[in-house]
Amino acid sequence: MLDPVSLAALRAFYARVGREMAPNNEKQAWFPEGAEVLPNPIGTAPGFMLEVGSVVFFSLPGVPRELVRMVDEQVLPRLAARRGQSEVVRARLLRTFGMGESNLDDVLKDIAPGGDVTLGFRTAFPDNYLRPLARAKSAAEADAKLAHVCDAIRARLGLLVYGEGPETLESVAGALLRAQHKTLAVAESCTGGLLAERITSVPGASDYFLGGIAAYANSAKEALLGIPRSLLEREGAVSEAVARQMAEGVRARFGADVGLSTTGISGPGGGTKDKPVGLVHLALADAAGTHADHFVFALDRERHRVLTVQLALDWVRRRLLGAPLDAPTILRRKQ
Amino acid sequence: MLDPVSLAALRAFYARVGREMAPNNEKQAWFPEGAEVLPNPIGTAPGFMLEVGSVVFFSLPGVPRELVRMVDEQVLPRLAARRGQSEVVRARLLRTFGMGESNLDDVLKDIAPGGDVTLGFRTAFPDNYLRPLARAKSAAEADAKLAHVCDAIRARLGLLVYGEGPETLESVAGALLRAQHKTLAVAESCTGGLLAERITSVPGASDYFLGGIAAYANSAKEALLGIPRSLLEREGAVSEAVARQMAEGVRARFGADVGLSTTGISGPGGGTKDKPVGLVHLALADAAGTHADHFVFALDRERHRVLTVQLALDWVRRRLLGAPLDAPTILRRKQ
């Protein structure tokens, strides 16, 4: 059957974006006889539910963001209603950075001893997420159990827990900058713009982020950050001295409260015996001075950059919280 | 059963990265009696295969990159061997940017008419991938069929096909810059570092990429790109005049052959009646002059940035190929 509501929505979508609707798009408004149409709030193809005997079929678009939203909004409530669900399940998500999953498991193994609260783990490199899940007769009761276990986890892990739910390291660091009326600028070599990109992925980042310089070529480090050529030649671009001057230089050029820099060898080429692939120097400059450190991450190019950026953001967070930067925030020992 | 080979590999892994192995990691070396251990080349947890009666079970680690690789290397060959497969299936992947999936389907509907070659579609925003798949008695025969259909697709779509297989728009644009001995520098406002990050995600990008400035604050646009304050006040940061000066300014500061700029309103806030959320101005400056254009993308913040970057990279590719920049590379009409 052709669903006139879906067809009208399709035509409206194409009219709105000023594109011509291809004739084969009309098939998105056709459904099996007897199906209940499930509207798609963020795409053109609706889904449908169809009962055949005692079996319920759901058909949904495959685009991940559409699928996930429709499962949450359309499928799960219908399934819960059919089961006459009496038990309430609630979950929270705590985000950690700086400790491996196995170690977290060890440290937290006694934290959810009962059967009504379980602790799930999920890795999203380089972070680890903790997902306590509680079952109870009511949402309030489940939430109280969750609050209890989350407090216990935070007490045990301290600053390793950087946020909860949708919070990211960049949103948490950004909120601290905003609250303390401080501004940030970054100078990137090996991370090539990823650090700035992560910071500006947060809506409203212009409140505290002034900008960044991806100084990829040595000529750019000289001209835009004021690093002396003699220093680049003597120490090399990947060195503590250059990282320090990059952080201080970008802080001065942008007139920022905090300057942050990365310089390293992401690979796959470019390593030497003294400076292997995976080496990275970071520096953070603010009114209190400049802190620098270096690490070796035995990772591929992409993950080297991701981990370096996460570490740099964690430094901003820890500095603004008044915590030391030599805390155990690292997954690999430094060289 | 405890597999001594897996246990030794585990211990070696932890020794190599200098971390202590938690006692519960040892369980990764335990397997059901009679299982065949499937080594994991890029993680600590191996998988296994177990036959129970006529059924074959595979158990694999859930980390996506480990899972995908082990399915390819361990599972599929074992399944193919068991089936005594006689038919060969080969596929290629053509990447396109600039035309919607439905339109592609329309344009290409007669391109793979036989039953032995089929044409699959996959969307990876903002690109669309075409996946011709051929079945034949031999790999050579299947490859010949694929070559024929890929040539036909390329002939029909022209520059809409930007690459094949692992090629990305940034690797293709980068290869052109390298081949033509040209250098690139970028000035970003709304994309906040994402453009530089994408360019530098390609190993060896330092051959042609000099660097970028993420000039997020107006003060940074003034100080680092030389945009006059009067222009910023009169035209606004999101304007063609500022986009042009950003591209020309970054080209001059870095001494690059090509300067590229983005300035727009990614949202969710910051829009006005004249300059709505989704508006973006791009400019490309080189020895031939400066080309600028603007668009309105009705998308969320993240996809606004991703699409803007893809368009900017496509401009570099088209300019280096001597193609006009007003080609149909856009999914949405401009305002």
Side-chain angles (χ1 to χ4, degrees):
Chain A
M1 63 181 198
L2 179 66
D3 177 40
V5 176
S6 300
L7 187 61
L10 263 180
R11 294 202 191 284
F13 170 82
Y14 281 96
R16 197 165 65 247
V17 300
R19 279 198 286 157
E20 204 181 332
M21 179 169 136
N24 60 356
N25 277 112
E26 195 182 285
K27 70 185 176 197
Q28 297 187 337
W30 283 87
F31 301 92
E33 204 67 51
E36 179 187 354
V37 176
L38 308 178
N40 179 344
I42 52 174
T44 59
F48 64 84
M49 180 177 91
L50 185 64
E51 298 192 51
V52 180
S54 64
V55 180
V56 186
F57 292 91
F58 287 94
S59 172
L60 300 171
V63 179
R65 53 195 292 278
E66 300 175 17
L67 176 71
V68 168
R69 179 143 170 197
M70 291 181 71
V71 166
D72 281 350
E73 293 183 2
Q74 312 273 358
V75 177
L76 295 182
R78 281 177 173 77
L79 291 178
R82 300 174 77 86
R83 289 180 56 194
Q85 209 158 40
S86 64
E87 191 185 55
V88 176
V89 180
R90 306 270 285 184
R92 283 168 66 175
L93 186 80
L94 297 179
R95 295 170 177 241
T96 80
F97 170 67
M99 189 182 272
E101 187 180 337
S102 308
N103 291 101
L104 281 173
D105 190 10
D106 252 13
V107 170
L108 298 174
K109 62 187 166 207
D110 64 327
I111 209 109
D116 53 352
V117 181
T118 56
L119 183 59
F121 292 85
R122 209 176 94 212
T123 296
F125 181 85
D127 296 354
N128 285 294
Y129 301 156
L130 306 170
R131 191 164 180 81
L133 191 142
R135 296 166 190 280
K137 290 280 173 217
S138 72
E141 196 188 327
D143 286 344
K145 290 179 186 177
L146 279 178
H148 182 75
V149 81
C150 285
D151 288 350
I153 292 170
R154 282 180 180 275
R156 196 167 296 180
L157 296 181
L159 287 185
L160 282 173
V161 177
Y162 69 77
E164 179 164 354
E167 289 179 332
T168 57
L169 212 29
E170 54 270 30
S171 76
V172 170
L176 288 167
L177 287 163
R178 181 184 284 116
Q180 297 183 20
H181 303 289
K182 286 187 173 155
T183 56
L184 174 66
V186 303
E188 306 183 62
S189 184
C190 62
T191 53
L194 181 60
L195 180 54
E197 191 277 323
R198 287 278 301 279
I199 294 164
T200 60
S201 70
V202 180
S206 52
D207 291 352
Y208 49 81
F209 184 63
L210 300 181
I213 293 177
Y216 219 58
N218 276 353
S219 59
K221 292 187 183 77
E222 279 181 63
L224 289 159
L225 290 166
I227 316 281
R229 181 175 300 188
S230 59
L231 183 70
L232 285 163
E233 283 169 356
R234 195 174 69 240
E235 302 280 337
V238 181
S239 61
E240 179 172 325
V242 169
R244 284 180 175 274
Q245 293 226 357
M246 285 172 68
E248 290 162 9
V250 81
R251 179 171 180 255
R253 300 270 157 139
F254 282 87
D257 296 308
V258 182
L260 193 59
S261 74
T262 66
T263 179
I265 302 164
S266 302
T272 63
K273 191 166 177 305
D274 286 347
K275 297 185 177 181
V277 168
L279 174 66
V280 65
H281 285 268
L282 288 100
L284 184 153
D286 65 6
T290 302
H291 179 84
D293 208 342
H294 71 280
F295 307 90
V296 177
F297 303 133
L299 298 165
D300 56 65
R301 179 180 181 85
E302 188 190 332
R303 291 190 298 159
H304 182 269
R305 291 156 58 113
V306 168
L307 179 52
T308 298
V309 163
Q310 203 75 340
L311 186 54
L313 293 170
D314 201 41
W315 273 19
V316 175
R317 178 180 74 106
R318 286 176 183 269
R319 174 57 62 103
L320 294 175
L321 289 170
L325 302 187
D326 54 10
T329 55
I330 304 303
L331 306 177
R332 306 272 186 262
R333 72 173 166 194
K334 63 181 169 174
Q335 201 185 39
Chain B
M1 63 182 200
L2 179 66
D3 176 40
V5 176
S6 300
L7 186 61
L10 263 179
R11 294 203 190 284
F13 171 82
Y14 280 96
R16 196 165 66 246
V17 300
R19 280 197 287 157
E20 205 182 331
M21 180 169 135
N24 59 357
N25 279 113
E26 196 184 285
K27 70 184 175 198
Q28 297 188 337
W30 283 87
F31 300 92
E33 205 66 52
E36 179 187 354
V37 176
L38 308 178
N40 179 345
I42 50 174
T44 58
F48 63 85
M49 180 177 91
L50 185 65
E51 297 191 52
V52 180
S54 63
V55 180
V56 186
F57 292 91
F58 287 94
S59 171
L60 300 171
V63 180
R65 53 195 292 276
E66 301 175 17
L67 177 71
V68 167
R69 178 144 170 194
M70 291 180 72
V71 166
D72 281 349
E73 294 182 2
Q74 313 271 359
V75 177
L76 295 182
R78 281 177 173 76
L79 291 179
R82 300 174 79 86
R83 289 180 57 192
Q85 211 156 40
S86 65
E87 192 185 53
V88 177
V89 180
R90 305 272 284 183
R92 283 169 64 176
L93 186 81
L94 297 179
R95 296 172 176 240
T96 80
F97 170 66
M99 190 182 272
E101 188 180 337
S102 308
N103 292 102
L104 281 174
D105 191 7
D106 252 13
V107 169
L108 299 174
K109 61 188 166 207
D110 64 328
I111 210 110
D116 53 351
V117 181
T118 55
L119 184 58
F121 292 85
R122 209 177 92 212
T123 295
F125 181 86
D127 296 353
N128 284 295
Y129 302 156
L130 306 170
R131 193 167 178 78
L133 192 142
R135 297 165 190 281
K137 289 283 173 215
S138 73
E141 196 189 327
D143 286 346
K145 289 180 188 177
L146 279 178
H148 183 75
V149 80
C150 285
D151 288 350
I153 292 170
R154 283 180 179 275
R156 196 168 293 179
L157 296 181
L159 287 184
L160 282 172
V161 177
Y162 68 77
E164 179 165 354
E167 290 179 331
T168 58
L169 211 29
E170 53 270 31
S171 76
V172 170
L176 288 167
L177 288 164
R178 181 184 284 117
Q180 298 182 17
H181 303 290
K182 286 189 174 153
T183 56
L184 173 68
V186 303
E188 306 183 61
S189 183
C190 63
T191 52
L194 181 59
L195 180 53
E197 191 277 322
R198 286 279 301 280
I199 294 165
T200 60
S201 69
V202 180
S206 51
D207 291 352
Y208 49 82
F209 185 63
L210 300 181
I213 293 177
Y216 220 58
N218 275 353
S219 59
K221 293 188 182 75
E222 279 182 64
L224 289 160
L225 290 166
I227 316 280
R229 180 175 301 187
S230 58
L231 184 70
L232 285 163
E233 282 170 357
R234 194 174 70 241
E235 302 280 336
V238 181
S239 61
E240 179 173 324
V242 168
R244 283 179 175 274
Q245 293 227 355
M246 286 171 69
E248 291 163 9
V250 81
R251 179 170 180 254
R253 300 271 158 139
F254 282 88
D257 295 308
V258 182
L260 193 59
S261 73
T262 67
T263 179
I265 302 165
S266 303
T272 63
K273 190 164 180 302
D274 286 347
K275 297 184 176 182
V277 168
L279 174 65
V280 64
H281 284 269
L282 287 101
L284 184 153
D286 64 7
T290 302
H291 179 84
D293 208 342
H294 71 280
F295 307 90
V296 178
F297 304 132
L299 299 164
D300 55 66
R301 179 180 181 86
E302 188 190 333
R303 292 191 299 159
H304 182 269
R305 291 157 59 112
V306 168
L307 180 52
T308 297
V309 164
Q310 203 75 339
L311 186 54
L313 293 170
D314 202 41
W315 273 20
V316 175
R317 178 181 73 108
R318 287 176 182 267
R319 174 57 63 106
L320 294 175
L321 288 171
L325 302 187
D326 54 10
T329 54
I330 304 306
L331 306 176
R332 305 274 186 260
R333 72 173 167 195
K334 61 182 168 172
Q335 203 185 36

